Structures are given as structure tokens and as C-alpha cells.
């Protein structure tokens, strides 16, 4: 029996991050509550809300958020506007819709200290070419930094330093949860690690496959290096869709409800078969 702090680790994956909502609902309904939350990219967005309200009620809130016009607006610019912005700058979309969404859900001036449980999120520092963890200070700024996908959103500037999406350096941050004392870790991942990679056949698939190899290599390495007193459960996504790897999948919100439902069903079955609720939960 593993005893000690419980961590929810929420990985990156853009619009596929909707599956994490289904996984969260399965965890809460099975009786699990986090003592800490660790997130990267879209996992930082979902994770910040969980840290603000670590109860099943947050999953209803997340469902409403994911299916809202505000969520669709994050990457909702027309193709013409995207091209004009990209020609003059380094990104396709404005960060303002995402900031407005986060401020609406979390509050404009909220800080890490205002959260109900500890929360950490990862970003990649440009100047230091290094992984950086935010665990104090303004919360919305940190989450924006963690989810600043290169080419889609501009780097986030905090304290004179520029940050981009944490998935570049640590997409599924199990090691950080271990480092901060977690003994039972639930990994909420978007499903990519469940699918076998194929040799790229189109130009845009080359970068996708290269990044996926790097992502999975670190994930596998951290799993292999777990201390003996730590247990990790990687929750299933419930399966993907042929459109998931399309270059335009990042803005396709049509599958959100189905992704949440599939992940909930698969994760609830997994938890029932593989994990006993902790004493007192």
C-alpha cells in the first residue's frame, strides 16, 4: 500500500487536452483527491483550475469552459488574419483570448498563493534554453507562459525573460511530481503515448514525429527511474481520432465532448480494475 501525497500530473497536447477533463472526473468519482497538481501547456490550464477547486465540481466547470465560445476563440482567428499576423510577427494568434479566458475563470490578480493546493507549471526559457518551473507569483502569467505554443502564440515575457510552451522541455512531468514529494501519481496524458509512431510521409509529419520521439523518450526515462516507494498510474485516453495528427487539429473543437466522454469511461474502468481508493477517501 502506497501512502503519502497524491499528485495529478497533467501533460501537454493542445486541444487533445479535453481528455484530461474526463480523466479528472473519473478520478474524483473514484474517490481520489490531489494533494498537489503539476501541469504543462494545456495541462497547466486544466491544472490551475483543479488547484483552485480540487473537487469533482471543477469538472463541470471545465466541461463548460471547453465547450464555450471563449475556448473556441483562443485559436479562432480567420486564416487571413493569421497569415497577416504571421507575416509581420512570429505567431499566428493573439494571446489576448486565452488571457481573457484565464482571467475570467481564475481572476485577474490571482496568485499561486491563492490556490487551495500547491500547483506548479512548466515553461521553457528562451534566454537560458532551460526548463523553468513556476510555483509563486501571478498565476495567469505563468499559465500563459506554459502554454505559449511556438508559432501559434508569442513568447510570454515575465521579469525580463521570455518563455514558450513547457511541452518543449517536459511534456509529461512525472519527475517534478516525484521531486516535490508525491508518492502516488496519476498521469493525465492526451493519448499520444498510447499510439505507435509511423515513419513520416509528409513534410509536416517530420517535425511531429521528431518531437514525439523526444517527448516519449523523456517520459519513458522518468518512468524507469521511479523510486521504489512511488507508484504511477497512466490513465487511458479512450482512443484517438484520425484527425488528431492533422496540422489543423489544434483548432478543431468539434470532438471535445466525445473526447471527454471516452476518457472518462476508459479511466473509470482502469481505476476500478487497477487502483484501490486510499484510506479515508
Amino acid at each position: 500500500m502506497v501512502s503519502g501525497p497524491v499528485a495529478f500530473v497533467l501533460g501537454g497536447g493542445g486541444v487533445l487536452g479535453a481528455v484530461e477533463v474526463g480523466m479528472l472526473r473519473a478520478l474524483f468519482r473514484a474517490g481520489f483527491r490531489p494533494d498537489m497538481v503539476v501541469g504543462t501547456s494545456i495541462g497547466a490550464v486544466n491544472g490551475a483550475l483543479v488547484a483552485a477547486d480540487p473537487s469533482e465540481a471543477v469538472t463541470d466547470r471545465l466541461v463548460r469552459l471547453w465547450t464555450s465560445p471563449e475556448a473556441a476563440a483562443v485559436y479562432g482567428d480567420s486564416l487571413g488574419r493569421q497569415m497577416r499576423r504571421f507575416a509581420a510577427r512570429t505567431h499566428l494568434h493573439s494571446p489576448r483570448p486565452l488571457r481573457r479566458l484565464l482571467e475570467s475563470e481564475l481572476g485577474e490578480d490571482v496568485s499561486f498563493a491563492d490556490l487551495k493546493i500547491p500547483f506548479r507549471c512548466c515553461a521553457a526559457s528562451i534566454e537560458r534554453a532551460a526548463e523553468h518551473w513556476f510555483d509563486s507569483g501571478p498565476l495567469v502569467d505563468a499559465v500563459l507562459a506554459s502554454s505559449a505554443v511556438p508559432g501559434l502564440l508569442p513568447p510570454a515575457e515575465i521579469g525580463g525573460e521570455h518563455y514558450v510552451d513547457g511541452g518543449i522541455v517536459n511534456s509529461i512531468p512525472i519527475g517534478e511530481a516525484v521531486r516535490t514529494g508525491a508518492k502516488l501519481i496519476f498521469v493525465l496524458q492526451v493519448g499520444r503515448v498510447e499510439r505507435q509512431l509511423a515513419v513520416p510521409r509528409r513534410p509536416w509529419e517530420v517535425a511531429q514525429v521528431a518531437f514525439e520521439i523526444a517527448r516519449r523518450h523523456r517520459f519513458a526515462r522518468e518512468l524507469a527511474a521511479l523510486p521504489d516507494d512511488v507508484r504511477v498510474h497512466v490513465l487511458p485516453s479512450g482512443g484517438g481520432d484520425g484527425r488528431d495528427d492533422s496540422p489543423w487539429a489544434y483548432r478543431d473543437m468539434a470532438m471535445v465532448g466525445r473526447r471527454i466522454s471516452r476518457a472518462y469511461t476508459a479511466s473509470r474502468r482502469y481505476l476500478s480494475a487497477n487502483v484501490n481508493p486510499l484510506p479515508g477517501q
Side-chain angles (χ1 to χ4, degrees):
M1 173 71 70
V2 175
S3 61
V6 177
F8 288 3
V9 173
L10 290 84
V15 71
L16 302 184
V19 303
E20 295 175 351
V21 181
M23 295 170 180
L24 287 165
R25 180 165 282 172
L27 283 165
F28 285 121
R29 289 186 177 176
F32 294 100
R33 300 290 186 274
D35 298 302
M36 65 182 75
V37 177
V38 180
T40 292
S41 194
I42 192 60
V45 175
N46 291 332
L49 269 75
V50 174
D53 180 11
S55 71
E56 185 181 341
V58 76
T59 62
D60 294 329
R61 188 175 172 187
L62 281 164
V63 169
R64 289 194 297 269
L65 185 156
W66 271 91
T67 56
S68 69
E70 290 77 13
V74 171
Y75 293 134
D77 278 344
S78 68
L79 183 58
R81 182 174 294 178
Q82 292 178 59
M83 293 300 100
R84 288 193 296 272
R85 183 179 288 116
F86 195 67
R89 302 179 186 177
T90 61
H91 52 280
L92 292 172
H93 299 278
S94 167
R96 287 192 293 274
L98 180 56
R99 176 177 286 278
R100 286 195 296 267
L101 183 150
L102 291 170
E103 290 178 345
S104 174
E105 293 294 329
L106 297 166
E108 292 186 20
D109 301 316
V110 68
S111 73
F112 281 81
D114 298 316
L115 298 172
K116 292 184 178 178
I117 59 173
F119 170 65
R120 302 173 65 82
C121 64
C122 178
S125 166
I126 292 177
E127 284 83 358
R128 290 182 289 115
E131 181 176 322
H132 180 86
W133 284 93
F134 290 98
D135 62 359
S136 62
L139 179 63
V140 170
D141 288 350
V143 174
L144 283 170
S146 182
S147 51
V149 182
L152 298 183
L153 295 171
E157 183 178 357
I158 300 175
E161 194 165 353
H162 296 82
Y163 298 92
V164 292
D165 194 291
I168 293 173
V169 288
N170 200 339
S171 185
I172 308 176
I174 299 172
E176 186 66 12
V178 173
R179 194 187 72 77
T180 51
K183 297 301 181 184
L184 176 61
I185 299 172
F186 292 101
V187 175
L188 289 73
Q189 52 80 38
V190 302
R192 290 192 175 117
V193 298
E194 301 168 357
R195 302 201 302 270
Q196 183 174 352
L197 285 177
V199 175
R201 300 182 183 280
R202 301 174 180 86
W204 60 84
E205 292 176 347
V206 175
Q208 288 178 333
V209 170
F211 179 64
E212 196 59 34
I213 290 171
R215 179 209 308 266
R216 296 189 193 190
H217 173 73
R218 177 160 188 172
F219 179 58
R221 187 178 64 195
E222 292 194 345
L223 278 176
L226 287 174
D228 292 338
D229 61 343
V230 174
R231 292 292 179 269
V232 171
H233 292 279
V234 182
L235 299 185
S237 68
D241 183 87
R243 295 180 294 180
D244 289 350
D245 295 322
S246 161
W248 300 107
Y250 77 92
R251 56 185 289 163
D252 182 1
M253 303 296 286
M255 295 285 291
V256 164
R258 188 177 300 178
R259 288 186 177 116
I260 293 172
S261 178
R262 285 192 313 219
Y264 169 75
T265 300
S267 294
R268 192 67 192 266
R269 287 173 179 164
Y270 173 89
L271 293 169
S272 177
N274 296 283
V275 191
N276 295 318
L278 297 179
Q281 293 197 314

